[in-house]
Amino acid sequence: MARSPSSPSFWRSPLRGPWFTSVLGVVLLGGITVLFMTGLVSYAAYNPGLSPVNDKTPDKGILGFYLFPWPTDPPWLYRLTQGVHVTLGITLIPVLLAKLWSVVPKLFALPPARSLTHALERISLLLLVGGVLFEFITGVLNVQLDYVFPGSFYPLHFYGAWVFFTAFVVHVVLRAPAAVRTLRTGLREGQPASELTSPRPDPPTVSRRGALWLVGGGSLLLFGTTAGQSFDGLRATALLAPHGGADPGSGPGGFQINKTAAYAGIEATETSEEAWRLTVTGRSGTVRLSRADLLRLPLHSSALPIACVEGWSTSDQWWRGVRLRDLAVLAGYDADAVPDVLVESLQRRGAFRRAALRANQVADPRSLLALYVNGEPLTPDHGYPARVIVPAAPGVLNTKWVSRMTFGDL
Ligand SMILES: Nc1nc2c(c(=O)[nH]1)N[C@H]1C(S)=C(S)[C@@H](COP(=O)(O)O)O[C@H]1N2
Ligand SMILES: [Mo]
């Protein structure tokens, strides 16, 4: 009897074999490539170059090589890229688990290394498996519990992604040719025996195709209970996705709320007409504006969504307020040469305090310091007295309960 997992006959499932592993591998090859790309895109969308405000990752060095100023068009850009990132990541979980299950005997194989190349390959597999588990676990925790690791999710998920993807590329280069050959041969001609095939298989309880259908069914179920987070009409189906926390209720403010005013420790006394002032600083000094002062400036409307890094997004809401560009002019800049801006919130509780926007985001005529949403003054939970809203920007840059804006190149 083989009692030790290092013995091939310990592993009895007749499902294991190169065909099963290759099918799952090819699905992951496509899926993980898309996850990596949309992940990099999300990182660029934070404008981490506006360091250290938006991003506290120390020394990105050459890993920041691809960063570019995030555009404001199309306005649904981040809704799309981050919706795909989170929904696809969750959908791939059953495929990933099945893939890891299909190769688990190799984890125990002895001797640990037959040659130098074999040793290097096994080390790269540790980085691969460790990396993929790390990325999926930190990703899911961030979406479900948001910021269990305060402030450190971005550097963890970011560096983890590079370590994992490097190991992934090595793995694909080493394994893809054999996987493609296996799939070309197909199931009909029988599985070529390999180190994955059990030498003493139990009788099958499900065919290999049946097992794939099970995995696919699991993925479909996760997809069906997640994808609705990006569509207002389907939101009730998104059982697995946090809908942005609190029940937003109905009416003009009846769309997703991430952090409520109560959570953020915002008191009605500090947002009242008498108490609240917006401090705007720039080349020409500092001005302090009440909400009534802001309402006397030219007001403009834009229809823009909120799209959170957690994957959920709203359809367009009608925002009305003062153009960021006009506030830059008030602070002493030319309308066609506005600078970056640092936006600070009244908020003192929780992780969030400030966010920086780049000049191209300030310049866009649709970018507002919003005072109204859907025809009514902002609700406290959506950022009353004033909040930022910028086309295509990640939700986290749309600061609520704004108290101070400092214009100037960051
Ligand atoms: N002051 C402050 N602004 C904030 C946040 C916050 O926690 N505090 N959350 C941000 C995040 S992560 C998102 S997704 C949006 C959500 O806006 P909403 O709650 O109006 O939907 O607000 C952003 N602005
Ligand atoms: Mo967010």
Side-chain angles (χ1 to χ4, degrees), residues 345-403:
S345 174
L346 275 180
Q347 178 174 351
R348 288 169 306 273
R349 262 197 257 149
F352 193 99
R353 259 161 216 97
R354 51 195 200 151
L357 300 168
R358 213 183 261 292
N360 67 313
Q361 294 171 314
V362 176
D364 193 296
R366 295 164 297 178
S367 298
L368 301 176
L369 181 70
L371 304 164
Y372 291 90
V373 66
N374 300 322
E376 295 288 332
L378 292 172
T379 58
D381 289 338
H382 286 301
Y384 183 90
R387 78 158 317 153
V388 164
I389 184 86
V390 171
V396 69
L397 297 184
N398 295 323
T399 305
K400 305 197 276 193
W401 314 292
V402 172
S403 63

Side-chain angles (χ1 to χ4, degrees), residues 78-79 82-83 86-87 143 146 226-232 235 238 241-245 255-259 305-315 382 387 395 400:
Y78 194 71
R79 254 190 111 177
Q82 195 60 8
V86 173
T87 300
V143 167
D146 68 35
T226 304
Q229 66 178 336
S230 305
F231 306 97
D232 282 353
R235 204 167 305 277
H243 309 175
F255 58 97
Q256 279 53 52
I257 296 161
N258 192 336
K259 295 288 166 359
I306 299 248
C308 183
V309 66
E310 293 163 9
W312 59 265
S313 56
T314 71
S315 55
H382 286 301
R387 78 158 317 153
K400 305 197 276 193

Side-chain angles (χ1 to χ4, degrees), residues 152-352:
S152 57
F153 170 74
Y154 296 100
L156 288 177
H157 204 66
F158 174 76
Y159 285 119
W162 279 104
V163 171
F164 163 57
F165 200 73
T166 307
F168 181 75
V169 169
V170 170
H171 183 67
V172 168
V173 168
L174 293 177
R175 294 303 170 137
V180 170
R181 250 179 282 124
T182 304
L183 293 180
R184 283 247 178 83
T185 333
L187 258 189
R188 267 160 298 139
E189 291 155 48
Q191 280 239 98
S194 88
E195 50 185 339
L196 293 171
T197 321
S198 172
R200 298 202 309 126
D202 285 337
T205 48
V206 55
S207 70
R208 287 198 169 94
R209 269 179 216 284
L212 277 189
W213 280 111
L214 273 177
V215 174
S219 282
L220 203 63
L221 192 68
L222 289 179
F223 178 82
T225 47
T226 304
Q229 66 178 336
S230 305
F231 306 97
D232 282 353
L234 298 176
R235 204 167 305 277
T237 65
L239 303 174
L240 284 184
H243 309 175
D247 174 11
S250 56
F255 58 97
Q256 279 53 52
I257 296 161
N258 192 336
K259 295 288 166 359
T260 62
Y263 171 93
I266 305 290
E267 311 279 349
T269 48
E270 52 184 348
T271 57
S272 70
E273 189 59 52
E274 302 74 47
W276 183 82
R277 294 292 179 273
L278 172 71
T279 306
V280 180
T281 302
R283 202 148 56 184
S284 59
T286 296
V287 284
R288 301 185 78 229
L289 303 162
S290 67
R291 197 174 139 100
D293 296 332
L294 288 168
L295 289 172
R296 279 190 290 271
L297 296 173
L299 300 186
H300 299 272
S301 297
S302 351
L304 297 173
I306 299 248
C308 183
V309 66
E310 293 163 9
W312 59 265
S313 56
T314 71
S315 55
D316 289 354
Q317 311 296 324
W318 277 98
W319 307 93
R320 189 164 173 76
V322 180
R323 284 184 173 152
L324 298 186
R325 192 169 72 182
D326 291 352
L327 291 170
V329 170
L330 204 70
Y333 297 87
D334 291 337
D336 52 5
V338 296
D340 309 327
V341 66
L342 172 64
V343 183
E344 291 167 273
S345 174
L346 275 180
Q347 178 174 351
R348 288 169 306 273
R349 262 197 257 149
F352 193 99

